[in-house]
Amino acid sequence: MSLRKRAGEWLQQTVFVGPGLLAFSAVVLVPFLLGFYYSFTEWNGLDLDKAKWIGMDNLHRIFTDDEKFWKSFWFTIKFTAVTVAAANALAFALALALSRKLRTRNALRTVFFLPNVIGGILLGYIWQFIFTKGFKTIGELTGWPTFELPWLGTPNTGFWGLVIVFVWQTAGYMMVIYIAAMVGVPRDLTEAAVIDGAGYWQTVRKVTIPLIMPAVTVCLFLTTSNAFKMFDLNLSLTKGGPGTSTQSLAYNIYAEALVNNRYGLGTAKAMLFFFFVSLIAIAQVWLTKRKEVEA
C-alpha cells in the first residue's frame, strides 16, 4: 500500500470518526476517568485544591460503615427483580394481543407507547397527583380500600407505587420491540404447528418465544439497566421517603455527592454501582443469548 493511499485512508477516518470520538471522549471517557480518580479522594465537589487523596478509605467506609448504601442496594435489587418481571410480562401480553388483526390495534399501540415519551420527572409528578388526589377521591366515592391507601406514605406502598409507575412507563416501549420480533416469525412455522395439532399457547411457547429470543435479550437488558438506574421517578415521587425506605442506589449516590457534599464518597459509590450493573447486564445477556435459535 502506497504512503499516499494510506494517508488518504487515515484522513477519511479522522474526518468521519474523529468528531464522534472527540465528543465521546469529552462527554463519557474523560468524566469516567476523572470520576475513577475522585473515588479515591476526599472532596466536597467544589474546590479542586481540596481534593485529598485517601486511597481505599472510601471503599472501606462503604463496606463497613454505610448502612444507608446497603439498604438502598437491597431496595434496588428488589425493585429491579419485580419491575423486570412485571414490565416484560405485561409488554409480551400486550404484544400478543396487538399482533392480531384488530381494527384499533394501531391506536392501541400508540396509547400504550405514549407513557414512554413523557419525561420521568414530569411523569413522577403526574403520578404523585394521581396517588395523593386522584386515588383519594376515587376511594371516597367508591369506598374501595385499595384507593384509600397512603400510596406514597409508607415504605411498602411507596415501593409498589414506584413499581406501578415504572412498569406503566416501560411496558409500552418493550411492547413495540416484541411486536417487531413477532412480525418476523415465519408464518409457515406457526401454521405447521397448528396443522400438527398444537394449540395457541403451545404455539406461543414452542414456536414464537424461541424465535423472538433476541428481542427478549434486548428487552431484559433494557429493563434491567433502566430499573437499576431509576432516579427521576424516585426523586419526583417519594424523594427516597418515608425516611430512606424507598431510596434507590442512584438516589443514594446523588444525595451523598450533591446534597451531603461528599463528592469523593459519592463517586466511589457510583464506581461500585457501575461495575455491579455491568456484571449483571453481561450475565443476563450471556444467559439469554444461549437460548436464541434460528428459524
Side-chain angles (χ1 to χ4, degrees):
M1 183 183 295
S2 67
L3 183 61
R4 185 175 182 179
K5 186 176 181 180
R6 187 178 299 175
E9 289 183 356
W10 274 104
L11 180 61
Q12 287 180 354
Q13 293 178 15
T14 303
V15 169
F16 290 106
V17 180
L21 182 60
L22 183 63
F24 176 81
S25 299
V27 176
V28 178
L29 187 59
V30 172
F32 178 82
L33 294 176
L34 286 174
F36 187 75
Y37 166 76
Y38 286 128
S39 65
F40 297 100
T41 66
E42 182 181 350
W43 184 38
N44 61 9
L46 299 174
D47 192 349
L48 286 172
D49 296 333
K50 294 183 179 179
K52 178 184 176 183
W53 179 269
I54 57 173
M56 303 294 287
D57 287 0
N58 284 330
L59 294 176
H60 182 267
R61 178 175 178 176
I62 292 169
F63 282 102
T64 61
D65 189 28
D66 199 330
E67 183 181 348
K68 289 182 179 180
F69 176 81
W70 294 108
K71 189 176 180 180
S72 299
F73 175 83
W74 291 115
F75 173 85
T76 305
I77 291 288
K78 183 172 68 170
F79 176 83
T80 301
V82 173
T83 53
V84 168
N88 281 280
L90 178 59
F92 185 77
L94 291 172
L96 280 178
L98 298 180
S99 293
R100 297 185 174 189
K101 293 181 179 180
L102 301 173
R103 285 187 176 182
T104 59
R105 69 177 182 178
N106 289 333
L108 290 173
R109 289 176 182 179
T110 303
V111 168
F112 287 121
F113 180 78
L114 195 59
N116 187 74
V117 179
I118 306 173
I121 293 288
L122 178 60
L123 194 68
Y125 285 121
I126 291 172
W127 272 91
Q128 186 184 65
F129 175 81
I130 293 172
F131 282 133
T132 56
K133 302 296 182 180
F135 279 14
K136 181 180 179 181
T137 303
I138 294 173
E140 291 174 352
L141 294 175
T142 62
W144 293 350
T146 302
F147 293 103
E148 295 177 341
L149 293 173
W151 275 97
L152 303 179
T154 69
N156 188 47
T157 54
F159 169 80
W160 287 108
L162 286 168
V163 168
I164 289 170
V165 179
F166 183 87
V167 171
W168 184 77
Q169 181 187 27
T170 307
Y173 185 73
M174 302 305 132
M175 174 199 71
V176 172
I177 298 175
Y178 283 128
I179 289 174
M182 289 176 185
V183 170
V185 174
R187 292 193 63 182
D188 55 346
L189 292 180
T190 56
E191 290 171 357
V194 173
I195 291 172
D196 287 340
Y200 176 75
W201 291 112
Q202 286 179 310
T203 304
V204 170
R205 191 172 71 253
K206 299 295 184 180
V207 178
T208 303
I209 293 178
L211 291 177
I212 67 167
M213 278 307 296
V216 174
T217 300
V218 171
C219 289
L220 287 177
F221 172 79
L222 291 175
T223 48
T224 301
S225 59
N226 289 339
F228 268 112
K229 296 184 296 183
M230 187 269 297
F231 170 76
D232 44 9
L233 293 179
N234 202 191
L235 176 65
S236 55
L237 271 176
T238 66
K239 291 184 173 60
T244 58
S245 60
T246 62
Q247 189 179 82
S248 67
L249 264 178
Y251 192 91
N252 178 268
I253 293 167
Y254 157 80
E256 194 71 77
L258 301 178
V259 177
N260 299 334
N261 289 329
R262 291 194 286 258
Y263 197 87
L265 182 59
T267 308
K269 291 182 178 184
M271 289 296 122
L272 283 177
F273 184 38
F274 168 77
F275 288 117
F276 177 75
V277 173
S278 298
L279 288 175
I280 294 292
I282 291 169
Q284 175 262 305
V285 170
W286 179 75
L287 287 172
T288 50
K289 276 282 186 184
R290 296 178 63 188
K291 298 183 180 296
E292 293 181 8
V293 298
E294 294 183 3

